[in-house]
C-alpha cells in the first residue's frame, strides 16, 4: 500500500490521528506520557535493517518476485518516520502525525501497537510473578482452545491481521506459532512482516480504507468524489494482480459502491467485508458477481471485522460452498485477554489511527456501520448524499 | 527418619520394593528400560554436595540447631545409594533394593520420582511444541485456581508433601513457588530439602509407616509385635521434640493403637491422619486426647491422605476451632495433570515404594483402609489378631 501511495500520490500532505473509540478506557491515566514519548522517539530512530531490506527485496509476495521496485526500496531504506505531536487532553492522548502521505501512513501500526503494549505493561506492573505467569498460562490455554476449534473445521483458512492492536509483540509471535502448529497450511500467513520473516511464513495483506479516504478528500467536486473510490482501485489495478486485487467496498457504503462499480472491478479476485453485518455483505458481493456475469465460486471473500471463532465457523459454514472464503483475524486472535484479570483491565479496546485530512481537507469514512463513521458532520452528510447512502444499521464496535 | 534408623537399627537388612497399585498403568510399556536404568545408575552416582551438606549441618529444623549429629552427617556425606534390582515382568517393573536399612530407605523418594517423571516424559515426547506449552499453561492455571481457593480460607496451613509422586522436579519447584506467592507464611514448607534450600523455605516432614513396619517385622513374638509400634515412637521420643513428635497411628489400625497407647504418647504434639475416613480419624484423636486429660485445642492434626482442595477446606472448616489443623498436601499438589490430556495419560497414579522385608521377615501394613494393606495373607491375619483389627471400610486409593 505504501508503494502504491509512493508512486501515485507521493506529495499529498496528510494528517493521521489516534482515535480511541472506547472512551471508557482512560489511556492517559493508564500510560505514562514520558514512557510513551520514549517509545515514539525510539520508533523514529528505527529504519530498515539490512536483513529486513534484503528480505523485502528478495522475497516473493503473492507469487510475484520483486514486488517492491528499486526506487521504492531505496526510499524506504532511508526512511525514518516523521515527527509526532502528543498532547494529553483530560484522560486521553491527542496523538497526530503530519507530513507526506507515504511517510505518515507508516505510523499507524507502530503507534497503535505501542499504545496497546504500554497499556498492558501498566497493568502487568501491578502483578506479582506467579499471578503474571498464570495470566499468560490462561491466555495460552484460551488461545489454544480457539485453535483447536478452528482446526476441526476442514478447509477453513485464516491469516493473522492482528498486528496493530496486539497485546504485545511477543504475544503476537506466540499466537502465530499456535496457528502454525495447529492449522498448518490452513494458516495462510501474517500481516506482520517481521514475524513472517522470522518464522518463514507468508506476509499477507490487502488495501485499507485510507486509500479511498484520501483520494476522496482530494476530489475537487462531487463528480470527482463519486469517482474517487474507483480511481484508487484503478491505480491499484495497474500495480497488482491476483490475491492483491481485493476490493474493500464499504468505505462509503457497500451497496452503492457495487451498484456503480465499473465492470473491470468484477474481474478482481475478491472482496473484503470489514463492517456491517458480514452475512449481508457477502450476499451482496455474491449477487453482484452473478449480476456481472462472474462465477462466485471462483471468487474470494475475506472477512475481517471483529472476528472470533464462533463467527468464523458460522460464516465458513454458510459460505464455503458458494465462494472461496478466508478470514483476516485481528484483535481477538492477538489480544483476547478478556476475562483474564479480575477487573478485565487487559481487555482489548477500539483504538484506531486514521487519516483525518489530506492537503488540508478533512477525510470522511462512512462504512456499513454508522458507529464506525468519521469526519465532520457536514462532510458526512455530503458524502452520504454523493454516495446515495440511506439508513444504516448501527452495530456495536468491540474492537 | 534416616538419622533415627541410623542410630537405632543401623544393621537391619531390609528389602524395599516398588509397588504399582494402579495395575491399569502399564509402566514397563510406557517407560523404556534402558532409560530407567540410566536414571537409576545416575542416582547411584550422586552424593551430597558440599553446599547441601553445609545446609543440613548448619540449618535450624523445627527450631532446633544442628538437628543432624556429626556421626550421622559423616556417614551421610560418604553415602552412595546401594544397588538396585530391576526386572520387567509383563507390563510392570519389579524394582527392589536390598541392604542396610538406613541406606536402602533413601531409595524410596528418588525411585518413585524418577519413574513418575520418565512416564511423564514418555507422554510429552509425542507432543508438539505448542501442545506441550498449552499443557503446562493449563496445569499452571489449574494449580493457581487451587491456590486462590486456599488463599481465601483464613488460617489454613499447608505444607508440600508431594516430592515422591510429583510430575517432575521442575513442576514441583513451580508448585512450591505458587504456594509461596499465594499463601505466604500459611505455606509452611516443603518436604523436599533441595527446594527448601534453594527457595529459602522450611524443610518439613514427619515419620512414616516404614518405621513401625520394620520394627514390627523384627518382633520375636506376638507380645513384642504388639509393643513394636510404641517401641519405635519411644526411640523417636528420645531423638525429637515439638513438631517432630507427631504420631502416625494407622499402620495397624488407629483405634486399637490409641486404645493401647502409653500415656506419654498423649503428651506428643499431634497426630497424622493418613488413611481411612479423615473425619473419623480426627474425631478418634480428639476423643483420645480428651480421655487422656489433654486439651485438643493445643494439639495438632496433620491430614495427609490423598488430599485436594475441597477436602482440605472441608476438614479445616470442621476441625480448626477444635484442634490446630495442618495439611501435608502431596500428589494432587505436585502432579494434578488429570484431565489435561485427551486420554488422561498424565494422570497421577498410586505408585509406592515400601519395605517388604526386614532381616528376612516379611513386613505388614494394615492401615485404616484394606485397599492400602500389604504383606503375606497369613501375616496380615496374624497382625489383625494381635492388633485387634476388626472390619474396616474399603476406600478407593486415588494416589
Amino acid at each position: 500500500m505504501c508503494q502504491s501511495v509512493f508512486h501515485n500520490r507521493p506529495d499529498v500532505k496528510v494528517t493521521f490521528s489516534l482515535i480511541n473509540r472506547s472512551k471508557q478506557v482512560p489511556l492517559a491515566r493508564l500510560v505514562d506520557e514520558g514512557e510513551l514519548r520514549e517509545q515514539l522517539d525510539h520508533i523514529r530512530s528505527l529504519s530498515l535493517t539490512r536483513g529486513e531490506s534484503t528480505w523485502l527485496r528478495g522475497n516473493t509476495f503473492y507469487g510475484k518476485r520483486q514486488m517492491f521496485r528499486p526506487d521504492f526500496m531505496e526510499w524506504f531504506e532511508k526512511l525514518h518516520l516523521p515527527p509526532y505531536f502528543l498532547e494529553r487532553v483530560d484522560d486521553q492522548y491527542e496523538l497526530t502525525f503530519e507530513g507526506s502521505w507515504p511517510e505518515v501512513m507508516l505510523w499507524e501500526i507502530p503507534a497503535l501497537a505501542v499504545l496497546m503494549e504500554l497499556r498492558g505493561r501498566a497493568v502487568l506492573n501491578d502483578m506479582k510473578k506467579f499471578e503474571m505467569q498464570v495470566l499468560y498460562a490462561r491466555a495460552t490455554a484460551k488461545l489454544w482452545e480457539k485453535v483447536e476449534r478452528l482446526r476441526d473445521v476442514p478447509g477453513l483458512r485464516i491469516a493473522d491481521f492482528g498486528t496493530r492492536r496486539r497485546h504485545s509483540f511477543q504475544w503476537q509471535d506466540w499466537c502465530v506459532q499456535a496457528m502454525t502448529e495447529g492449522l498448518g497450511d490452513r494458516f495462510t500467513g501474517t500481516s506482520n512482516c517481521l514475524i513472517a520473516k522470522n518464522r518463514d511464513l507468508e506476509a499477507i495483506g490487502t488495501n485499507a480504507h485510507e486509500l479511498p479516504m484520501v483520494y476522496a478528500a482530494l476530489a475537487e467536486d462531487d463528480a470527482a468524489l463519486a469517482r474517487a473510490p474507483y480511481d484508487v482501485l484503478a491505480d491499484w489495478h495497474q500495480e497488482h494482480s491476483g490475491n492483491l486485487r481485493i476490493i474493500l467496498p464499504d468505505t462509503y457504503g457497500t451497496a452503492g459502491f457495487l451498484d456503480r462499480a465499473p465492470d473491470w472491478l468484477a474481474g478482481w479476485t475478491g472482496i473484503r467485508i470489514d463492517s456491517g453485518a458480514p452475512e449481508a455483505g457477502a450476499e451482496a458481493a455474491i449477487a453482484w458477481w452473478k449480476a456481472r456475469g462472474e462465477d462466485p465460486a471462483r471468487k474470494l471473500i475475506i472477512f475481517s471485522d471483529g472476528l472470533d471463532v464462533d463467527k468464523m465457523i458460522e460464516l465458513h459454514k454458510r459460505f464455503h460452498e458458494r465462494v472461496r472464503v478466508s478470514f483476516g483475524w485481528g484483535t481477538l486472535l492477538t489480544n483476547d485477554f478478556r476475562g483474564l484479570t479480575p477487573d478485565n483491565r487487559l481487555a482489548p479496546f477500539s483504538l484506531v489511527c486514521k487519516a483525518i485530512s489530506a492537503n488540508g481537507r478533512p477525510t470522511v469514512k462512512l462504512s456499513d456501520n454508522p458507529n464506525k463513521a468519521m469526519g465532520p458532520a457536514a462532510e458526512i452528510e455530503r458524502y452520504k448524499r454523493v454516495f446515495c447512502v440511506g439508513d444504516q444499521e448501527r452495530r456495536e464496535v468491540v474492537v
Side-chain angles (χ1 to χ4, degrees), chain A:
Chain A
M1 202 159 72
C2 185
Q3 177 173 258
S4 180
V5 169
F6 175 79
H7 283 134
N8 295 302
R9 296 289 189 281
D11 299 324
V12 173
K13 298 294 171 210
V14 295
T15 302
F16 272 51
S17 174
L18 191 81
I19 298 159
N20 181 6
R21 293 178 188 149
S22 306
K23 296 295 174 210
Q24 79 282 6
V25 178
L27 262 187
R29 261 198 284 152
L30 297 170
V31 172
D32 178 72
E33 185 175 333
E35 232 176 316
L36 176 55
R37 285 187 186 277
E38 202 179 310
Q39 292 291 337
L40 295 171
D41 291 341
H42 174 68
I43 291 170
R44 291 201 63 211
S45 78
L46 298 173
S47 63
L48 279 192
T49 67
R50 194 184 156 128
E52 287 160 359
S53 173
T54 303
W55 183 80
L56 286 173
R57 284 176 180 271
N59 207 342
T60 301
F61 297 96
Y62 294 99
K64 186 177 176 179
R65 276 224 172 269
Q66 291 202 292
M67 185 172 89
F68 299 113
R69 291 199 290 257
D71 61 336
F72 172 70
M73 283 309 301
E74 272 162 41
W75 169 85
F76 197 19
E77 282 161 358
K78 291 195 197 89
L79 179 73
H80 283 266
L81 291 196
Y84 63 89
F85 304 93
L86 176 66
E87 198 182 343
R88 179 177 175 155
V89 179
D90 300 325
D91 285 341
Q92 299 296 337
Y93 285 119
E94 286 195 351
L95 177 58
T96 54
F97 312 95
E98 288 176 29
S100 75
W101 190 10
E103 290 181 10
V104 168
M105 68 190 295
L106 294 172
W107 259 116
E108 177 192 353
I109 308 293
L112 292 176
V114 150
L115 266 158
M116 295 306 285
E117 185 153 355
L118 285 180
R119 181 263 206 156
R121 284 188 197 172
V123 175
L124 296 175
N125 273 342
D126 296 339
M127 288 190 178
K128 287 199 282 183
K129 172 184 157 182
F130 211 87
E131 204 182 348
M132 200 188 314
Q133 291 283 357
V134 169
L135 169 72
Y136 283 104
R138 285 178 177 159
T140 298
K142 189 177 185 184
L143 166 64
W144 189 246
E145 274 153 33
K146 294 189 183 196
V147 173
E148 283 181 320
R149 288 190 57 212
L150 295 169
R151 187 173 55 182
D152 292 341
V153 182
L156 193 143
R157 294 164 60 83
I158 310 184
D160 160 33
F161 277 19
T163 298
R164 62 185 183 167
R165 281 196 294 264
R166 66 193 179 199
H167 170 73
S168 70
F169 171 73
Q170 297 276 7
W171 186 253
Q172 185 187 12
D173 190 37
W174 189 232
C175 294
V176 165
Q177 291 175 65
M179 294 288 279
T180 304
E181 181 174 315
L183 298 187
D185 59 10
R186 289 184 289 147
F187 176 55
T188 56
T190 170
S191 62
N192 186 309
C193 288
L194 183 62
I195 293 176
K197 171 177 169 288
N198 292 345
R199 301 271 168 212
D200 213 5
L201 295 164
E202 290 293 320
I204 199 163
T206 172
N207 55 73
H209 296 107
E210 71 175 276
L211 290 183
M213 285 166 71
V214 172
Y215 273 57
L218 298 175
E220 292 294 338
D221 53 33
D222 287 359
L225 175 58
R227 271 199 319 272
Y230 309 108
D231 290 347
V232 72
L233 297 184
D235 285 348
W236 191 266
H237 192 83
Q238 296 183 322
E239 195 118 21
H240 302 298
S241 57
N243 272 353
L244 276 168
R245 285 194 180 156
I246 301 294
I247 302 166
L248 177 64
D250 69 326
T251 315
Y252 305 118
T254 296
F257 177 92
L258 294 177
D259 278 352
R260 291 184 295 276
D263 279 336
W264 57 264
L265 260 181
W268 274 32
T269 306
I271 288 188
R272 178 156 75 102
I273 309 291
D274 197 47
S275 65
E279 299 82 359
E283 294 293 356
I286 291 169
W288 176 68
W289 279 315
K290 284 186 183 161
R292 301 291 175 112
E294 297 282 338
D295 179 7
R298 305 185 61 179
K299 296 296 185 180
L300 177 66
I301 292 186
I302 300 174
F303 296 99
S304 62
D305 182 28
L307 295 171
D308 206 356
V309 171
D310 283 341
K311 198 67 187 170
M312 287 191 279
I313 291 175
E314 191 187 316
L315 289 168
H316 180 264
K317 198 169 167 184
R318 174 158 170 180
F319 291 106
H320 81 282
E321 287 175 340
R322 300 160 63 197
V323 290
R324 291 161 52 212
V325 174
S326 188
F327 298 94
W329 195 12
T331 309
L332 296 181
L333 167 59
T334 61
N335 196 2
D336 192 0
F337 280 64
R338 293 175 300 179
L340 298 181
T341 53
D343 44 5
N344 222 6
R345 287 192 298 164
L346 284 176
F349 60 101
S350 193
L351 189 68
V352 294
C353 181
K354 291 285 180 191
I356 59 165
S357 75
N359 287 351
R361 300 173 183 188
T363 64
V364 169
K365 180 184 175 189
L366 301 178
S367 101
D368 289 328
N369 178 4
N371 286 344
K372 282 184 157 186
M374 48 168 288
E379 285 297 297
I380 288 181
E381 285 315 304
R382 176 181 160 235
Y383 275 62
K384 286 178 94 162
R385 178 174 47 76
V386 168
F387 290 105
C388 310
V389 173
D391 286 343
Q392 294 177 302
E393 183 196 354
R394 282 193 185 274
R395 297 173 63 89
E396 190 196 356
V397 179
V398 178
V399 285

